[in-house]
Amino acid sequence: MFDFRKSVVYQVYPKSFCDSDADGLGDLAGVTAKLDYLAWLGVDYLWLNPFFVSPQRDNGYDIADYRAIDPRFGTMADFQALCREAGKRNIRIMLDMVFNHTSTAHEWFQKALAGDPVYEDYYIWREGGPDGTPPNNWQSKFGGSAWAYVPEKGKWYLHLFDRTQADLNWENPRVRAELRDVVRFWMDQGAKGFRFDVVNLISKGSYESDGQGDGRRFYTDGPRVHEFLHELRQSTFGDDPEFVTVGEMSSTTMEHCYRYAGADTGELNMVFSFHHLKVDFVGNEKWVLVPFDFQQLKDILFSWQTGMSSHNAWNAVFWCNHDQPRVVSRFGDEGESWAQSAKMLGTVIHCLRGTPYLYQGEEIGMTNPGFTSLGQYRDVESINHFHILRDRGLHEDSAYAILRVHSRDNSRTPMQWDATGKAGFTTGTPWIGVTPNCDRINVASQLDDPDSILRHYKALIALRKRYDVVAYGDFQPLDPRHPSVLAYQRQHQGDTLVVVNNFYRKPVQWTCPVDLTGFTCLLSNYPGSTPQTTLQLPPYASLVLYRSAGASPRTPGGAPPLHPARG
């Protein structure tokens, strides 16, 4: 039976993964064609971003039909074939459910516009001010007001994201019943997991204006959210021990996540939180250029590790996804230390307590594409904020510089399979530009290289399966105030793991507070790494050190090293 604590989830953004029919868009058949690669890598669950019928205003997160596959991605037969072939390789399929909102093109919203009172109550409508102003001052996460006016109705509807993404009214039992039916439908088709998009926003509280900011304190982790999630679990996937669920939690608190992902709370298996990915923001504002705060990054990672562990709750641990820039461009090095920094960043995440999520291309060190014109971008959030930045008086060059760092399109460029001009993604015209460095950063060039980033990730995945301490161990920060080293210890049934990472280009000497006598180096991004109490750490150095319960503290022992070449 699958255990989500020993599993690794690989995220596929179908539109950019593999195009099987030369139309420039990735599709389900393309994913099926790459299953042998994913099985070789060792992943257990395959999370697919939405492939449902959608106007694609927000790249599929604006769903117009929850039960139909958009023809650009394939057919239901293609999905069933994917589930069947994945199952043969011991891979389970996880789907992305967008239940906070629908597209305004959805039949429910169209019936609401037509005046059907049943469907009007599927959404959130409010009267505006007498002077024609919106119901309150809440801001959309994509910029501008979170309310859109419908003249024919004389009312405003709530959209926390794009104006074509109308928020659903979860207070309506009919809405909750509809969404439970959607979950059951996809379970019947073969899905074995769900990722729930911004699911902690589904319960709204007061609709008053926010004198402190943008309104998020009134709709984040709302008053009935735990009740709603418990109800969803109990009536759908709760009885299937192989079913895995993860909630994307926007601006959440750790205290709420103890309940969302508690072992005995009956809600979800694990949560995504994003606090550690705001360390290069100013407050909640990401459309700025500032260096990342390393100490804050450590403080957040360590506090979530220890806090969730102390409450028997589970994290999804990750750097990258379809909404985040490439981590090697963000916290690593695109230059001469590119490979070492990519391996180090992978080691940090994969040895933490929690289920690691690996985003397509992360395992080969894909970088941000470096787009230079607005015409290269497809993301509605990025395009909106480019204009917002320009309206604020920012020079065009500065606005582009910010997009090159923070745009969601940084992670959405085609998967780089080989060194051809279109990276082996398609023989057609890609829907978004290919990153120019695909000639040197690609799967084909790393498959047979024992020292490649890809081989390092394969070894990291194998570690979790081979050593219980990686999956089940507790967590203890080591030297948490060090200015350049991120290190921690994991322990389980007498086994000990020590993970040491130099987060910077500058070499550093570091003295470990743990006696490393008797430890074995399981994995490193530099050859010849040997455990010793005082370590000389080269640029972006990373070591995974292990001592088994049976090894004497003064006698070398433990399991044999797991080298990337043999992983």
Side-chain angles (χ1 to χ4, degrees):
M1 184 175 73
F2 276 42
D3 182 345
F4 63 83
R5 294 171 297 175
K6 287 188 77 74
S7 298
V8 174
V9 181
Y10 189 98
Q11 181 189 355
V12 163
Y13 194 67
K15 201 171 182 179
S16 296
F17 192 61
C18 181
D19 174 19
S20 71
D21 58 6
D23 66 353
L25 295 169
D27 46 49
L28 295 176
V31 179
T32 303
K34 298 297 184 180
L35 285 173
D36 285 342
Y37 166 74
L38 298 172
W40 171 85
L41 189 57
V43 302
D44 304 284
Y45 287 87
L46 190 56
W47 159 26
L48 300 171
N49 290 95
F51 49 75
F52 314 110
V53 170
S54 165
Q56 297 290 317
R57 174 69 178 171
D58 186 23
N59 278 298
Y61 283 85
D62 48 329
I63 295 174
D65 189 336
Y66 285 113
R67 292 179 176 82
I69 293 173
D70 196 310
R72 73 190 79 194
F73 294 117
T75 64
M76 188 62 74
D78 291 329
F79 175 74
Q80 292 166 343
L82 172 59
C83 290
R84 185 170 58 251
E85 292 302 313
K88 292 177 183 177
R89 296 161 175 82
N90 292 318
I91 297 173
R92 303 292 196 267
I93 300 300
M94 176 186 289
L95 299 188
D96 208 323
M97 293 288 105
V98 187
F99 282 174
N100 177 70
H101 48 263
T102 72
S103 168
T104 53
H106 196 290
E107 179 185 19
W108 300 342
F109 192 81
Q110 290 300 306
K111 287 182 176 180
L113 287 181
D116 187 327
V118 170
Y119 289 96
E120 283 183 0
D121 197 36
Y122 274 39
Y123 298 91
I124 297 168
W125 300 88
R126 290 292 183 274
E127 304 282 350
D131 55 352
T133 55
N136 60 37
N137 66 351
W138 293 5
Q139 295 295 295
S140 161
K141 292 177 182 291
F142 289 172
S145 174
W147 298 91
Y149 185 63
V150 178
E152 296 80 8
K153 301 182 74 65
K155 292 182 180 179
W156 303 70
Y157 66 85
L158 180 67
H159 62 91
L160 294 181
F161 295 87
D162 187 68
R163 65 179 292 121
T164 64
Q165 293 167 293
D167 278 51
L168 286 164
N169 176 20
W170 274 70
E171 297 293 325
N172 182 348
R174 286 176 180 259
V175 169
R176 303 200 302 275
E178 294 266 20
L179 298 178
R180 290 196 297 269
D181 285 346
V182 171
V183 167
R184 295 189 195 102
F185 174 84
W186 287 105
M187 290 177 67
D188 290 343
Q189 302 308 315
K192 278 293 184 181
F194 290 117
R195 180 259 192 190
F196 293 103
D197 184 65
V198 293
V199 73
N200 65 319
L201 309 185
I202 59 177
S203 173
K204 277 66 174 179
S206 168
Y207 287 90
E208 62 192 276
S209 285
D210 186 0
Q212 300 178 18
D214 56 14
R216 70 181 64 201
R217 67 193 179 102
F218 293 114
Y219 60 74
T220 302
D221 301 321
R224 298 185 67 189
V225 64
H226 296 288
E227 172 194 344
F228 292 157
L229 288 177
H230 187 269
E231 177 186 73
L232 180 64
R233 178 185 180 88
Q234 294 305 110
S235 58
T236 55
F237 48 78
D239 293 332
D240 187 340
E242 289 191 7
F243 216 87
V244 171
T245 55
V246 57
E248 181 195 28
M249 303 298 167
S250 173
S251 303
T252 191
T253 66
M254 200 185 310
E255 290 71 25
H256 275 285
C257 289
Y258 299 157
R259 296 179 63 186
Y260 291 134
D264 302 314
T265 57
E267 295 184 25
L268 303 171
N269 294 122
M270 65 192 89
V271 291
F272 287 117
S273 63
F274 297 91
H275 300 70
H276 67 297
L277 296 177
K278 295 182 179 181
V279 297
D280 52 358
F281 290 18
V282 174
N284 279 316
E285 175 57 53
K286 82 173 185 178
W287 301 100
V288 293
L289 286 182
V290 294
F292 78 91
D293 186 327
F294 177 56
Q295 187 58 55
Q296 185 185 27
L297 176 68
K298 288 200 295 183
D299 290 346
I300 293 169
L301 284 175
F302 292 167
S303 65
W304 276 81
Q305 284 284 295
T306 56
M308 293 289 278
S309 178
S310 67
H311 287 80
N312 199 18
W314 200 250
N315 285 306
V317 290
F318 70 104
W319 290 126
C320 297
N321 64 31
H322 61 288
D323 285 335
Q324 300 293 331
R326 292 290 181 178
V327 69
V328 72
S329 299
R330 189 175 195 175
F331 299 142
D333 182 16
E334 292 184 347
E336 63 181 61
S337 295
W338 160 73
Q340 303 305 335
S341 69
K343 294 176 187 178
M344 179 275 292
L345 290 162
T347 300
V348 168
I349 288 296
H350 280 255
C351 293
L352 289 174
R353 179 185 182 275
T355 298
Y357 281 67
L358 174 59
Y359 180 69
Q360 62 182 51
E362 186 178 349
E363 75 274 22
I364 58 171
M366 280 181 62
T367 67
N368 292 346
F371 290 155
T372 57
S373 71
L374 200 60
Q376 293 174 288
Y377 288 93
R378 303 291 181 266
D379 173 38
V380 60
E381 181 193 36
S382 301
I383 294 168
N384 285 354
H385 276 89
F386 177 84
H387 294 301
I388 290 170
L389 292 169
R390 294 286 286 126
D391 289 344
R392 290 177 185 169
L394 203 66
H395 190 275
E396 183 179 87
D397 292 344
S398 298
Y400 279 128
I402 290 172
L403 260 63
R404 282 194 289 273
V405 170
H406 289 298
S407 171
R408 300 191 302 179
D409 278 342
N410 286 320
S411 61
R412 298 176 179 183
T413 57
M415 178 67 179
Q416 294 166 202
W417 294 104
D418 59 36
T420 62
K422 297 169 185 176
F425 163 70
T426 184
T427 57
T429 301
W431 73 277
I432 191 171
V434 175
T435 302
N437 60 24
C438 68
D439 60 336
R440 63 180 181 85
I441 301 177
N442 58 73
V443 171
S445 67
Q446 296 189 30
L447 269 173
D448 298 322
D449 178 1
D451 195 39
S452 67
I453 301 168
L454 177 58
R455 288 283 181 156
H456 190 86
Y457 268 88
K458 180 176 169 63
L460 285 169
I461 292 169
L463 281 181
R464 178 164 293 266
K465 301 180 191 309
R466 183 171 176 180
Y467 296 97
D468 283 352
V469 66
V470 181
Y472 306 124
D474 63 10
F475 180 89
Q476 179 183 347
L478 298 177
D479 200 2
R481 305 303 297 179
H482 195 281
S484 57
V485 172
L486 190 157
Y488 54 87
Q489 176 179 271
R490 310 280 312 282
Q491 290 183 308
H492 176 70
Q493 296 182 350
D495 289 356
T496 303
L497 198 75
V498 172
V499 183
V500 183
N501 304 278
N502 177 8
F503 229 80
Y504 290 92
R505 186 180 296 111
K506 183 179 179 181
V508 64
Q509 178 177 290
W510 184 71
T511 300
C512 183
V514 175
D515 180 4
L516 295 178
T517 303
F519 278 75
T520 297
C521 182
L522 294 183
L523 188 63
S524 176
N525 58 355
Y526 281 92
S529 300
T530 55
Q532 47 192 325
T533 302
T534 298
L535 293 162
Q536 305 296 326
L537 300 174
Y540 298 103
S542 182
L543 299 94
V544 181
L545 310 175
Y546 171 80
R547 187 177 67 206
S548 72
S552 166
R554 291 290 169 190
T555 305
L562 180 64
H563 189 274
R566 298 191 291 122

